[in-house]
Amino acid sequence: MDDCIFCKIVKREAPASIVYESDTVIAFKSIQPVSETHILIVPKDHVYSVTDFSDANQFFSLLTAAQSIIADLQLEKGYKLVFNGGKYQAVPHAHWHLLGGTLEDKKDVLNNI
Ligand code: 5GP
Ligand code: ZN
């Protein structure tokens, strides 16, 4: 999609701090992190939302990316994986938030480990 910021990042038409890439997935740091580690795991093909996934391989490639990044960043002791949708989703290209380390929300359980 031409005017999609995440499609532009996939095509290297917009900058991003990329931490993982495969044939089908790209992952990069959120521009406005809500936690010490805040990575967005994104299918390279433009899929609007989690409700639009239909290809098991595409979804599994996101999981493979998450496993790889969790291991690389040694987040095994505490992480969250979150999909926002509908009114909670700002960017209209599906993405999985990987959060770790200290969160903005000081009462969050991740801050106690
Ligand atoms: P959503 O609310 O759609 O689930 O989250 C959108 C995420 O994308 C947020 O973490 C936001 O900071 C991030 N984001 C939005 N625009 C950009 C951008 O241009 N570059 C990067 N790296 N992250 C972005
Ligand atoms: Zn897109």
Side-chain angles (χ1 to χ4, degrees):
M1 231 172 106
D2 286 349
D3 60 349
C4 170
I5 181 61
F6 287 179
C7 284
K8 285 184 178 158
I9 289 172
V10 169
K11 290 185 279 184
R12 305 297 203 274
E13 291 171 3
S17 182
I18 295 166
V19 299
Y20 175 97
E21 185 165 22
S22 71
D23 288 349
T24 52
V25 176
I26 193 162
F28 48 86
K29 293 181 183 175
S30 169
I31 208 167
Q32 281 186 294
V34 299
S35 53
E36 207 172 336
T37 299
H38 186 169
I39 308 289
L40 304 171
I41 303 171
V42 178
K44 285 187 171 176
D45 286 344
H46 185 90
V47 177
Y48 167 58
S49 181
V50 73
T51 52
D52 300 312
F53 285 122
S54 56
D55 179 348
N57 289 327
Q58 183 182 45
F59 190 76
F60 194 77
S61 66
L62 297 177
L63 180 62
T64 301
Q67 290 171 334
S68 171
I69 299 163
I70 288 165
D72 284 351
L73 301 182
Q74 298 180 305
L75 294 175
E76 291 89 347
K77 284 191 175 171
Y79 59 87
K80 292 181 181 227
L81 283 162
V82 177
F83 278 111
N84 293 327
K87 67 179 181 180
Y88 301 119
Q89 181 179 353
V91 175
H93 182 136
H95 48 282
W96 213 357
H97 296 256
L98 171 59
L99 309 174
T102 307
L103 302 189
E104 260 186 8
D105 178 358
K106 300 297 177 210
K107 292 187 189 136
D108 194 283
V109 68
L110 270 189
N111 287 322
N112 298 319
I113 54 174

